[in-house]
């Protein structure tokens, strides 16, 4: 009965899966020469795409954090009617295909009174760079909320109660106690929001249109160039996206690895 | 002068109800609240601090109705069992956090921190992070942070429960000293009867969301309001009949045992009497005291650290007594041994029912 020990089997599977995935990364890296990569980076299209990706992602991340903080705090600490419904709705974009998120946003900002109201005050979201930000924001928000609210949940509410009893109001207590104690969660959620924004594709494509050198972010660059058969540009965009992911994972590991306050 | 008064305070939290709490504490008084786990002690003091909303009743602090004031407007500080020192601040910053809202002047702030740190014996710890301190040190810092702004009321929720006996004894001394120095009014939740004996002026016994008895420590401990309180504070309850009046003394017949009791109840009615376990004297030879002295059998011996709990029986009566370990050895006590029991008349309390 000399079967493979279960734990050994688990380790072997883990090694194999990561080997396959790692080979895929390597395949991408060796697909083009460093010269091709540099040349791709120097094209107008790539520079535009890179710059647009960074600005839209930073904006979307900023919004996701600024809006995510109070929402996550309410979800973690307060009881209010309809809380579970709100939680489910806010989680939905995480489970739903990005492309469906895109179509719902397209309808909301293209065919409703809200769309008319926005266009009256001169705000154009559909097929515009602003649409990229909106799509990235909604792709990132559920992740931001998850990380932030679980980091608030791990803070003993009695820290806040003690602060209140010492004369500090709710907001001041939040700023001086809760925020510093949830620093790790805040950094991790910022990193994840940025990664989600940079990588957002389906929703961005549908809402902002994927227009060459207008609403073209890195995933769109990859997609457009693959369809033209321009492999070197597509692979370069892919490499940039992988670099962004690695940085994110690194930051999250660093922050999540036991540094969260009790 | 009255510092805080609770009037018919009632709070609902999920399934749990705090019902009609009435409690008045004088300025400078030290009150202990004691009761079993789940009695609602924490809910009660967190309601006083303003963390739970009562649906009925009022909280009057220093003449002001603060029932609907937020916690930060009350001037009530709280100390928890697990210290709750802010981990991202040093000891100094933690204490300063407690004072900043009251003391704006930087120099006065420094002086006040120095003063309280000196009293609490934590001057050498000011630059440390809380996580590097022992439990006892952390709790001293937490107390310093709570009282530096001279709150009208200090609440403590089982402040010594996470500490060992030695540390607890030391902390009691610190608390006693600081209570006088800062003229504090204190409500201290505990499950340790020693806290009540050594610190409190008054004690409230809580069970099932209500205060069953509240009064001077001596009073409550010698005349429990009901069996729950008696059981909880570990006192002997007997029922008997007054058979004879001898001046200011009466003879009470409990079963076939006669006890001498000092009371002015003169009727021939049945009465309930209470005897504290530590007020029961035991010897191997009959002391020449006459009635009030009787023979009993040692039923059970429970070793409890330095003290020993003795269960003595005589016919239908069982009495709990507490002796030191050394005294038990000296008397050579063992299960089944016959001893003489004596109870001083003035140590027998009477409930007039
Ligand atoms: N926020 C809450 N929601 C619902 N029930 C609570 C809450 N806080 C405490 N309780 C319940 O109230 C009862 C009293 O709790 P507590 O005051 O902590 O007791 P203790 O006397 O041990 O301090 C317990 O049964 C507890 O489960
Ligand atoms: Mg409690």
């Amino acid at each position: 009965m000399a079967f493979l020990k279960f734990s050994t089997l688990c380790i072997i599977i883990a090694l194999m899966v990561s080997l396959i995935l790692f080979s895929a990364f390597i395949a991408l890296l060796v697909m083009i020469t460093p010269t091709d990569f540099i040349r791709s980076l120097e094209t107008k299209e790539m520079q535009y795409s890179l710059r647009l990706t960074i600005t839209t992602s930073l904006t979307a991340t900023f919004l996701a954090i600024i809006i995510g903080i109070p929402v996550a705090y309410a979800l973690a600490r307060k009881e209010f009617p309809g809380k579970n419904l709100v939680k489910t709705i806010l989680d939905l974009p995480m489970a739903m295909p990005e492309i469906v998120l895109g179509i719902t946003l397209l309808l909301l900002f293209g065919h409703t009174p809200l769309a008319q109201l926005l266009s009256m005050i001169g705000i154009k979201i559909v097929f515009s760079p602003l649409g990229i930000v909106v799509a990235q924001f909604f792709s990132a928000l559920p992740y931001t909320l998850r990380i932030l609210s679980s980091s608030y949940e791990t803070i003993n509410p009695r820290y806040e109660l003690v602060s209140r009893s010492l004369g500090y109001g709710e907001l001041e207590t939040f700023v001086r106690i809760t925020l510093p104690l949830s620093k790790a969660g805040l950094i991790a959620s910022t990193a994840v929001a940025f990664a989600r924004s940079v990588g957002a594709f389906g929703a961005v494509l549908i809402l902002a249109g994927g227009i060459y050198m207008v609403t073209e972010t890195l995933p769109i660059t990859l997609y457009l160039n693959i369809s033209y058969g321009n492999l070197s540009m597509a692979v370069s965009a892919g490499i940039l996206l992988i670099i962004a992911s690695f940085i994110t994972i690194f930051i999250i590991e660093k922050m999540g690895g036991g540094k969260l306050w009790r | 002068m009255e510092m805080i008064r609770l009037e018919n305070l009632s709070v609902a939290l999920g399934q749990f109800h705090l019902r009609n709490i009435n409690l008045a504490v004088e300025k400078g008084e030290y009150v202990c609240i004691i009761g079993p786990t789940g009695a609602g002690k924490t809910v009660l003091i967190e309601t006083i601090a303003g963390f739970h909303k009562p649906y009925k009743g009022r909280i009057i602090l220093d003449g002001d109705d603060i029932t609907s004031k937020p916690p930060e407007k009350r001037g009530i500080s709280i100390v928890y069992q697990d210290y709750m020192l802010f981990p991202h601040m040093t000891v100094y910053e933690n204490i300063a956090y407690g004072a900043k809202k009251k003391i704006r002047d930087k120099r006065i702030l420094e002086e006040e921190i120095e003063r309280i740190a000196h009293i609490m014996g934590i001057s050498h710890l000011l630059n440390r992070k809380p996580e590097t301190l022992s439990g006892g040190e952390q709790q001293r810092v937490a107390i310093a942070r709570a009282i530096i702004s001279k709150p009208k009321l200090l609440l403590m929720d089982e402040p010594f429960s996470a500490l060992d006996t030695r540390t607890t004894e030391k902390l009691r001394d610190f608390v006693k000293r600081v209570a006088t120095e800062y003229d504090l009014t204190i409500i201290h939740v505990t499950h340790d009867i020693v806290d009540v004996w050594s610190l409190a002026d008054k004690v409230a016994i809580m069970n099932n969301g209500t205060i069953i008895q509240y009064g001077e420590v001596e009073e409550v401990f010698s005349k429990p309001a009901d069996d729950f309180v008696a059981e909880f504070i570990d006192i002997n309850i007997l029922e008997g009949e007054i058979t004879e009046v001898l001046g200011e003394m009466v003879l009470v017949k409990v079963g076939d045992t006669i006890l001498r009791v000092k009371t002015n109840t003169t009727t021939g009615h049945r009465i309930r009497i209470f005897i504290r376990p530590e007020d029961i004297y035991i010897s191997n030879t009959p002391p020449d005291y006459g009635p009030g002295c009787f023979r009993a059998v040692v039923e059970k011996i429970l070793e409890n650290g330095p003290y020993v709990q003795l269960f003595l029986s005589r016919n239908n009566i069982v009495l709990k007594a507490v002796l030191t370990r050394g005294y038990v050895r000296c008397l050579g006590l063992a299960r089944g041994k016959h001893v003489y029991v004596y109870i001083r008349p003035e140590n027998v309390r009477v409930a007039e029912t």
Side-chain angles (χ1 to χ4, degrees):
Chain A
M1 296 291 284
F3 277 121
L4 211 50
K5 260 182 26 197
F6 177 65
S7 54
T8 319
L9 188 66
C10 294
I11 295 172
I12 291 175
I13 295 176
L15 290 176
M16 271 166 51
V17 173
S18 52
L19 186 68
I20 293 171
L21 207 53
F22 187 67
S23 321
F25 295 149
I26 297 297
L28 188 72
L29 290 176
V30 299
M31 187 58 83
I32 56 171
T33 62
T35 335
D36 287 341
F37 181 62
I38 303 282
R39 200 169 299 138
S40 299
L41 287 190
E42 283 168 356
T43 61
K44 274 228 165 61
E45 182 186 358
M46 190 63 85
Q47 300 226 329
Y48 179 88
S49 173
L50 192 57
R51 205 174 304 126
L52 185 66
T53 306
I54 290 172
T55 45
T56 53
S57 297
L58 284 178
T59 314
T61 302
F62 177 75
L63 291 176
I65 293 296
I66 285 297
I67 291 170
I69 286 173
V71 175
Y73 190 71
L75 293 180
R77 277 280 189 273
K78 302 291 166 195
E79 291 306 320
F80 53 89
K83 177 173 163 181
N84 278 327
L85 186 64
V86 169
K87 248 182 158 156
T88 311
I89 292 174
L90 290 172
D91 266 351
L92 215 51
M94 197 150 65
M96 138 168 120
E98 260 203 72
I99 211 151
V100 179
L101 173 65
I103 188 83
T104 55
L105 292 174
L106 181 67
L107 294 177
L108 177 67
F109 291 112
H111 293 277
T112 59
L114 175 67
Q116 288 164 7
L117 190 79
L118 287 174
S119 81
M120 256 164 49
I121 53 173
I123 294 178
K124 187 172 179 295
I125 287 175
V126 173
F127 302 147
S128 79
L130 200 54
I132 299 176
V133 174
V134 171
Q136 288 173 336
F137 169 79
F138 282 106
S139 308
L141 188 64
Y143 296 87
T144 315
L145 292 180
R146 274 287 169 98
I147 298 171
L148 283 178
S149 65
S150 77
S151 82
Y152 296 143
E153 273 162 15
T154 57
I155 299 172
N156 190 331
R158 284 186 175 149
Y159 283 120
E160 293 164 15
L161 301 183
V162 165
S163 168
R164 298 281 302 278
S165 76
L166 294 174
Y168 300 78
E170 272 190 296
L171 179 62
E172 209 174 352
T173 292
F174 182 79
V175 172
R176 285 163 163 266
I177 305 297
T178 319
L179 217 47
L181 291 190
S182 62
K183 198 172 74 186
L186 186 64
I187 295 173
S189 68
T190 308
V192 170
F194 189 72
R196 297 301 307 170
S197 302
V198 169
F201 175 63
V204 171
L205 182 67
I206 302 280
L207 185 63
I211 307 163
Y212 172 76
M213 298 270 286
V214 177
T215 55
E216 183 180 346
T217 57
L218 285 175
I220 306 279
T221 306
L222 195 155
Y223 169 75
L224 291 178
N225 284 285
I226 278 281
S227 20
Y228 305 152
N230 188 349
L231 202 60
S232 150
M233 278 291 280
V235 169
S236 302
I239 291 172
L240 288 177
L241 286 168
I242 285 187
I243 293 172
S245 318
F246 266 117
I247 294 173
T248 313
I249 298 279
F250 179 76
I251 294 175
I252 295 166
E253 287 286 312
K254 195 109 181 148
M255 286 303 130
K259 204 52 188 136
L260 282 172
W261 294 108
R262 263 161 300 142
Chain B
M1 196 189 81
E2 196 174 74
M3 186 47 95
I4 184 155
R5 190 170 73 243
L6 311 179
E7 290 177 356
N8 295 317
L9 203 65
S10 302
V11 183
L13 267 185
Q15 298 296 310
F16 180 76
H17 279 256
L18 213 58
R19 288 184 309 270
N20 289 319
I21 302 288
N22 288 288
L23 192 80
V25 181
E26 296 288 310
K27 187 172 192 308
E29 230 170 18
Y30 199 119
V31 170
C32 274
I33 298 179
I34 191 165
T37 307
K41 306 179 299 291
T42 299
V43 172
L44 174 60
I45 65 165
E46 287 192 340
T47 304
I48 299 173
F51 307 148
H52 306 296
K53 267 206 180 69
Y55 64 83
K56 205 184 93 190
R58 297 198 303 164
I59 305 171
I60 314 291
L61 181 72
D62 202 12
D64 275 345
D65 185 340
I66 58 159
T67 318
S68 51
K69 273 194 185 170
E72 62 269 23
K73 298 260 161 64
R74 295 192 177 198
I76 296 176
S77 291
I78 188 158
V79 169
Y80 281 109
Q81 174 182 333
D82 26 16
Y83 330 122
M84 290 296 131
L85 296 176
F86 305 127
H88 60 300
M89 300 181 190
T90 62
V91 167
Y92 184 94
E93 288 163 343
N94 265 282
I95 301 173
Y97 194 86
K100 273 184 199 147
K101 286 281 163 180
K102 277 275 181 64
I103 307 166
R104 299 287 178 181
D105 187 293
K106 207 163 166 272
R107 226 196 60 243
I108 299 177
L109 178 70
E110 270 167 28
E111 280 171 13
E112 283 294 324
I113 292 175
E114 234 165 75
R115 178 177 166 221
I116 188 77
H118 179 72
I119 295 173
M120 297 306 288
I122 47 177
S123 303
H124 58 298
L125 304 172
L126 289 176
N127 293 320
R128 300 256 292 268
K129 276 286 177 79
E131 61 194 1
T132 69
L133 270 51
S134 72
E137 288 168 342
Q138 290 195 51
Q139 196 58 296
R140 280 186 270 157
V141 176
I143 293 170
R145 177 181 67 180
I147 63 178
I148 188 167
S149 61
K150 306 197 173 69
K152 290 184 171 163
L153 177 65
L154 174 66
L155 303 170
M156 296 198 281
D157 192 3
E158 310 213 11
F160 310 142
S161 291
L163 306 172
D164 59 71
T165 323
R166 272 275 194 76
T167 314
T168 300
E169 280 165 11
K170 237 172 93 184
L171 265 185
R172 281 197 196 103
D173 286 341
F174 277 115
V175 166
K176 246 185 246 174
R177 196 180 325 157
V178 87
T180 0
E181 290 257 353
Y182 280 74
D183 197 16
L184 294 170
T185 308
I186 298 177
I187 297 180
H188 171 167
V189 166
T190 179
H191 63 246
D192 187 352
I193 218 127
V194 183
D195 285 336
V196 183
W197 281 120
S198 53
L199 293 168
D201 303 310
K202 285 186 179 160
V203 60
I205 316 273
M206 258 189 105
N207 191 30
N208 274 332
T210 54
I211 289 180
I212 297 176
Q213 192 175 4
Y214 175 53
E216 306 277 339
V217 175
E218 278 296 327
E219 172 78 12
V220 172
F221 277 16
S222 53
K223 275 192 185 176
D226 64 12
D227 287 357
F228 172 82
V229 178
E231 182 106 352
F232 195 79
I233 62 182
D234 217 13
I235 195 169
N236 293 295
I237 321 172
L238 301 172
E239 285 200 25
E241 203 176 318
I242 297 179
T243 52
E244 211 180 322
V245 179
L246 309 165
E248 55 175 16
M249 208 80 83
V250 298
L251 295 188
V252 181
K253 194 160 175 274
V254 182
D256 65 349
T257 311
I258 306 286
L259 292 174
R260 286 194 306 173
V261 179
K262 213 170 171 178
T263 174
N264 16 358
T265 317
T266 55
T267 48
H269 291 123
R270 293 192 69 77
I271 56 169
R272 301 175 81 202
I273 58 181
F274 306 101
I275 305 152
R276 293 212 51 80
E278 60 271 29
D279 287 338
I280 294 177
Y281 300 92
I282 291 170
S283 68
N284 283 326
T285 50
D288 190 18
Y289 294 134
C293 173
F294 54 89
R295 265 163 78 82
V297 181
V298 177
E299 279 286 320
K300 198 161 68 173
I301 298 178
L302 280 184
E303 308 250 340
N304 231 338
Y307 301 101
V308 175
Q309 221 179 7
L310 228 53
F311 291 76
L312 305 161
S313 82
R314 175 189 168 88
N315 300 332
N316 319 338
I317 312 169
V318 175
L319 284 175
K320 273 184 282 183
V322 172
L323 272 68
T324 62
R325 187 193 282 278
Y327 194 50
V328 169
R329 205 169 300 136
C330 165
L331 290 177
L333 292 184
R335 245 191 96 195
K337 190 176 157 90
H338 285 261
V339 290
Y340 289 90
V341 174
Y342 176 66
I343 302 157
R344 290 165 64 93
E346 53 272 41
N347 285 339
V348 181
R349 316 287 158 147
V350 177
E352 285 142 54
T353 41

